[in-house]
Amino acid sequence: MTISDDWVEHHFDHLAPEVAPDLHAVLARTRARCPVARSDAHEGGFWVMTRYADVLKAAQDWETWSSELGMTVPFEPAPVKILPVAVDPPLQKEFKRLVNAHFTKTKVAPWEEATRALVNELIDSFIERGECDFMAEFARPLPGRAFFDLALHAPSDDLDQVNEWAVQASLPKSDKQQDSLMQLAGWIYNLIERRKADGPRGDVVDEVMAAEIEGRPIDIGEAIGTIHLLILGGLETTAGVLGAAMLQFCEHPEILEEIRRNPDRIAAVVEELLRLDGSFVCIGRTARHDTEIGGRAVAEGERALLYWASANRDEAEFDRPDEFDPGRERNRHLAFGAGPHKCVGSNLARMNLRVALEEIARRLHDVKLQPGAEIGWHSSFNRAPLSVPITFTPGPRLG
C-alpha cells in the first residue's frame, strides 16, 4: 500500500503496517492535508484529529466526546472493563480519586532510591559485554519490575511472569494479547485475595479494595479493572519512551553529553523527549451528540481518534516541532493526555525516566546502534521500538 494524499484524507488506518515506521511523517502529512480527516477504514469509519487545538478541545470536552461509549477503532469490547478510562465523569472521578493520592510527586519520591538500584542492577547485567538489546534488557523490564514491587507490593516470584503478560497485553496484533489480558486479570484477582489474608499495606491496592463507589462497596470486577489500568498504563508506554530516547541518543550523542554536563537540566530533557516521542500515540472517543470539530460536522455516535503524537509536533503550537530542544520556553505537550482522563501515573513515569537517563548518561558511553540494525515499531494506540540493539564502551559492574 502507498500512503498518498487521498489515503490520509479518506482512508487513514492507524493499524496499517505502513504507518508504524514513519508515524510522524504520516501524521504531519495528514495534519497539513486535512487536520480533521474522515476515514472510511473499518466498519462505520472514523474521524482523525491531528491539530493540537482540536485534540486538546476534544480531550477536555467529555460531555461531547465520550470514553464510555467507545475508545477503540474498530470497536472491540475489552475482556475486562478498564477503569476509570472506560467511563465518563462523574463516575470516572469516583474511580480516579482512588488512585490519585498514591501517585503524587510526594508519594513517588521515596521510591527513587529503589528505582535507581533497579536501574543499576539492569545495567550491571549487560555493561561488561559492551552491547545489549536495550528494549529487552532494560526498557521493558524496568517499569514493570519497579511498579509491581513499589506500587503493588506484588510477590517477587510473580514479577517476571506478570511483567510478560503486561507487555503482551499492550502489544497490538499480538496473538497473545487477549490471553494475556485475561491472565493478568486472573493474577490481579489472586493478588486481591492474597491481600485480604495478609492485611493492609497502606498502598493503592488497599485503597481500591476498601473503596465505595456511589455509596456502595466496589465490586471485584471494578477493583480488577482499576488495577488493570494502572498496570497497562505505565509499562509499555514508559518502555516506549525509553526506547525512543535511546534511538535519539545514538543519533545525537550530544544529548547524553548535555545531561552529563548539566544534570540540573534533565527534567527539561525528559519533557522534550516525551514531546518528541511519547509512546501514548492516540485515544479513541465517541460523539455523544451532533457536534463539530475543526469546522467539520460530526454526527452522534461517530468515532474519532485524538492524536497526541501529532498534537505534540503541531507547528501551530511548537516552534521547530521536529527538533530536540530542551530549552523551549513553553512545552505544553500532551504526552500524558489531557482532560479528566489525563494519565494519573505521570509523576511515576517522569521519575522512572529521569532516574534511568541519569544512570544511562553516567554509565554508558559512546552509545551506538549495532551495525546493520533495523528498527521496527509497533504502533496503534501505543508506540514503541520492538528492539534497539546497541553497542557502547564496556564498563564495570557496580554490584
Side-chain angles (χ1 to χ4, degrees):
M1 183 198 76
T2 300
I3 295 179
S4 62
D5 289 343
D6 180 65
W7 187 89
V8 300
E9 292 179 30
H10 303 294
H11 313 296
F12 188 103
D13 184 358
H14 55 301
L15 300 180
E18 292 82 2
V19 172
D22 297 305
L23 175 70
H24 294 297
V26 172
L27 292 176
R29 190 172 185 176
T30 309
R31 198 166 57 243
R33 295 289 306 182
C34 191
V36 180
R38 176 66 184 172
S39 174
D40 61 7
H42 306 294
E43 184 178 356
F46 61 100
W47 295 91
V48 183
M49 302 183 200
T50 54
R51 285 190 302 208
Y52 185 99
D54 294 332
V55 169
L56 181 60
K57 178 182 177 181
Q60 293 175 329
D61 184 7
W62 61 268
E63 292 178 300
T64 299
W65 295 100
S66 169
S67 293
E68 188 168 349
L69 296 181
M71 297 174 54
T72 59
V73 178
F75 178 68
E76 296 179 2
V80 177
K81 192 168 188 176
I82 309 300
L83 297 167
V85 298
V87 294
D88 294 323
L91 181 58
Q92 177 262 356
K93 294 180 180 179
E94 294 268 321
F95 288 100
K96 195 167 185 179
R97 69 174 169 77
L98 301 179
V99 297
N100 271 349
H102 293 273
F103 296 96
T104 63
K105 289 182 180 179
T106 301
K107 192 68 174 181
V108 303
W111 300 347
E112 181 171 329
E113 183 178 352
T115 301
R116 195 176 301 277
L118 175 57
V119 166
N120 281 307
E121 176 189 329
L122 292 170
I123 293 175
D124 275 355
S125 70
F126 55 73
I127 192 168
E128 293 178 319
R129 303 199 319 257
E131 65 176 19
C132 72
D133 180 346
F134 184 75
M135 292 303 297
E137 298 181 66
F138 187 90
R140 286 201 168 95
L142 172 62
R145 287 183 57 184
F147 181 80
F148 288 124
D149 183 23
L150 300 173
L152 297 188
H153 297 110
S156 57
D157 291 346
D158 293 357
L159 296 186
D160 290 340
Q161 176 62 78
V162 178
N163 199 43
E164 175 63 17
W165 284 332
V167 169
Q168 290 299 327
S170 300
L171 295 176
K173 299 184 179 180
S174 167
D175 57 3
K176 299 178 181 179
Q177 186 181 47
Q178 294 301 309
D179 180 65
S180 294
L181 283 168
M182 294 304 297
Q183 295 280 8
L184 196 54
W187 177 84
I188 296 169
Y189 173 82
N190 290 330
L191 174 69
I192 291 172
E193 291 301 305
R194 283 197 296 263
R195 292 293 295 274
K196 289 177 181 177
D198 293 345
R201 302 285 295 269
D203 59 11
V204 69
V205 178
D206 287 343
E207 187 83 29
V208 171
M209 289 167 55
E212 287 195 354
I213 302 297
E214 298 183 316
R216 58 166 176 81
I218 193 170
D219 67 40
I220 187 61
E222 292 167 335
I224 290 171
T226 304
I227 297 173
H228 224 294
L229 175 66
L230 294 176
I231 295 172
L232 295 182
L235 271 61
E236 187 64 8
T237 49
T238 302
V241 176
L242 285 167
M246 180 54 72
L247 293 175
Q248 288 280 353
F249 301 156
C250 290
E251 187 174 354
H252 302 287
E254 66 273 12
I255 299 176
L256 282 180
E257 286 302 320
E258 171 73 11
I259 295 173
R260 295 180 187 117
R261 289 195 306 268
N262 300 294
D264 58 318
R265 298 194 64 194
I266 192 164
V269 170
V270 167
E271 295 306 309
E272 184 67 345
L273 290 170
L274 284 165
R275 184 193 68 81
L276 269 180
D277 286 302
S279 59
F280 192 16
V281 172
C282 62
I283 195 69
R285 294 285 186 264
T286 301
R288 282 192 173 275
H289 53 76
D290 292 352
T291 187
E292 68 83 28
I293 193 79
R296 303 294 298 272
V298 179
E300 177 184 352
E302 290 186 333
R303 300 186 186 281
L305 290 183
L306 285 57
Y307 260 97
W308 316 115
S310 178
N312 285 340
R313 295 195 182 207
D314 185 350
E315 301 81 356
E317 176 66 21
F318 301 99
D319 183 42
R320 297 169 290 105
D322 295 324
E323 295 182 20
F324 175 84
D325 179 10
R328 293 180 185 278
E329 292 185 5
R330 188 176 75 167
N331 188 358
R332 302 188 307 167
H333 66 73
L334 304 179
F336 294 110
H341 290 290
K342 186 174 181 179
C343 178
V344 71
S346 59
N347 293 314
L348 177 59
R350 285 182 166 106
M351 186 271 284
N352 283 339
L353 292 169
R354 175 176 56 79
V355 171
L357 298 192
E358 286 172 351
E359 296 305 312
I360 287 168
R362 183 172 71 90
R363 300 189 63 191
L364 300 185
H365 295 268
D366 195 29
V367 174
K368 295 181 176 65
L369 279 178
Q370 291 184 17
E374 295 184 5
I375 304 302
W377 297 81
H378 77 66
S379 182
S380 58
F381 293 96
N382 292 335
R383 172 176 166 85
L386 299 176
S387 175
V388 180
I390 60 171
T391 63
F392 46 86
T393 302
R397 292 168 51 92
L398 298 182

